[in-house]
Amino acid sequence: MKNNIVDLQDKLQALLHAQRDNFIQGKVADYIPALASVQPDLAGICVATIDGKTVGAGDYQRPFSIQSISKVFGLVMAMNRVGDALWQRVKMEPSGQPFNSIIQLEWEKGIPRNPVINAGALLVSDVLTSHFSASKLAFLSFVRKLANNETIRVDKQVYLSELSHGNRNAALAYLMKSFGNIEAEIPAVLSHYFTQCAVAMSCQQLAQSLLFLAFKGVDPSSKSIICSPKDAHRVNAILSTSGMYDQSGEFAFSVGLPAKSGVGGGLIAIVPNYGVICTWSPPLNSFGNSVVGMNLVAGIAEELGLSIYH
Ligand code: GLN
């Protein structure tokens, strides 16, 4: 069933249509003011497969702020750069806390629970800032290469908006620095982190750029090795247990795919040995996950039998 994509386009269209009434459920992120102005009723879905097919519906070619989905790219870059040393500074456990929580970080002496909550992604940003002479450019080049698209850019307005409203992220970074777990200067770490969060990409670009995680670390179109099979497995494991923040258990329970959400309303789900699903709909639930996005991924995973736990 899952390889029959002849009618995939119709399925995506139908799933999107069925969500029409939900487009105004949830709340567009407004703690980053530039995100609050995004039109809430835009929505798209795209499926890219490892055998080179890309099918989409709705606004799947329209760029949006990838926000925390950028944590996946940053993590892969850091793993490639420093190897197992990374896991001395960040753990691989679910946090059971909101994505931007600070409380656990104090108890656990500045070691973040995992690389996809904000504290962990700031730690990863420190690794990148410290190990690349121009980490922001390196990040953008990495993503452009993966998406095979040189036009991908940073949304300057979102970057500046987050920079001027980033006190909580700054607090997380300074707290980690006080425990000796951040090497670079905090403004540089924050600047890297906000830059990668402010990258704008479409569902299609995101789905295509993450195919290596569904293909044991190899980009299926260029055949280049993006990361080791072991690291692809590790990223997928972390996304399964922590990618949807404090709703990761429920997402595993009901959908069964490694996934990552962003407060821009994006959601990516990896289907090992098949492909990547990416959805976008800005209104979020209280966990910071896209309401419609979760419904869409659940719908297509159910219809095609994609759960990794089957
Ligand atoms: N840039 C956002 C922040 O740091 C990312 C959060 C997210 O997408 N969950 O708060």
Side-chain angles (χ1 to χ4, degrees), residues 276-296:
V276 178
I277 306 163
C278 181
T279 63
W280 176 49
S281 166
L284 310 176
N285 63 21
S286 60
F287 300 97
N289 298 324
S290 167
V291 176
V292 165
M294 285 182 72
N295 292 343
L296 289 172

Side-chain angles (χ1 to χ4, degrees), residues 3-288:
N3 289 320
N4 176 9
I5 68 157
V6 180
D7 58 353
L8 188 53
Q9 171 88 51
D10 291 347
K11 282 193 168 69
L12 298 184
Q13 209 85 51
L15 282 167
L16 202 55
H17 190 73
Q19 290 299 315
R20 283 270 154 218
D21 290 346
N22 292 331
F23 283 1
I24 40 161
Q25 297 223 349
K27 193 167 167 288
V28 174
D30 57 5
Y31 72 103
I32 303 168
L35 292 182
S37 58
V38 175
Q39 209 182 309
D41 60 352
L42 296 171
I45 179 167
C46 182
V47 176
T49 64
I50 55 172
D51 58 3
K53 299 187 183 70
T54 302
V55 185
D59 302 301
Y60 75 104
Q61 289 173 314
R62 188 174 173 132
F64 59 89
S65 189
I66 67 170
Q67 292 296 318
S68 280
I69 298 173
S70 69
K71 293 170 180 171
V72 182
F73 298 116
L75 174 58
V76 172
M77 286 178 75
M79 288 167 105
N80 283 343
R81 220 2 119 95
V82 298
D84 284 350
L86 181 66
W87 306 107
Q88 305 295 316
R89 296 175 59 192
V90 56
K91 295 192 286 184
M92 64 296 280
E93 299 298 339
S95 69
Q97 301 290 327
F99 66 85
N100 55 3
S101 171
I102 199 163
I103 195 160
Q104 200 168 44
L105 201 56
E106 164 78 353
W107 297 330
E108 300 187 354
K109 306 203 178 335
I111 311 279
R113 272 288 172 111
N114 67 65
V116 294
I117 51 172
N118 283 15
L122 286 160
L123 185 289
V124 166
S125 297
D126 177 52
V127 170
L128 300 180
T129 306
S130 309
H131 285 83
F132 287 87
S133 53
S135 66
K136 299 181 216 177
L137 208 58
F139 183 91
L140 204 54
S141 305
F142 183 58
V143 171
R144 284 175 171 169
K145 184 182 97 175
L146 288 174
N148 193 23
N149 188 320
E150 289 300 311
T151 69
I152 291 169
R153 57 178 197 92
V154 176
D155 185 328
K156 200 77 194 209
Q157 210 195 330
V158 172
Y159 168 79
L160 292 172
S161 184
E162 191 162 8
L163 191 62
S164 55
H165 290 80
N167 294 325
R168 180 170 279 266
N169 284 314
L172 290 166
Y174 279 110
L175 185 57
M176 286 189 284
K177 184 122 180 136
S178 78
F179 283 107
N181 200 19
I182 292 280
E183 288 169 14
E185 291 308 317
I186 300 299
V189 174
L190 292 174
S191 180
H192 175 95
Y193 174 67
F194 295 145
T195 298
Q196 66 170 52
C197 286
V199 167
M201 292 172 76
S202 66
C203 289
Q204 178 169 348
Q205 290 164 349
L206 275 169
Q208 288 174 341
S209 65
L210 289 166
L211 280 170
F212 70 97
L213 289 176
F215 202 52
K216 298 184 168 57
V218 176
D219 178 340
S221 59
S222 67
K223 302 284 182 279
S224 45
I225 295 170
I226 308 302
C227 68
S228 67
K230 189 175 180 179
D231 279 348
H233 162 97
R234 287 168 160 181
V235 173
N236 287 335
I238 286 169
L239 297 188
S240 298
T241 51
S242 307
M244 300 294 286
Y245 305 119
D246 211 10
Q247 214 174 10
S248 299
E250 184 189 328
F251 195 77
F253 187 86
S254 56
V255 180
L257 291 173
K260 184 75 209 82
S261 60
V263 293
L267 174 51
I268 58 99
I270 312 296
V271 190
N273 305 313
Y274 173 70
V276 178
I277 306 163
C278 181
T279 63
W280 176 49
S281 166
L284 310 176
N285 63 21
S286 60
F287 300 97

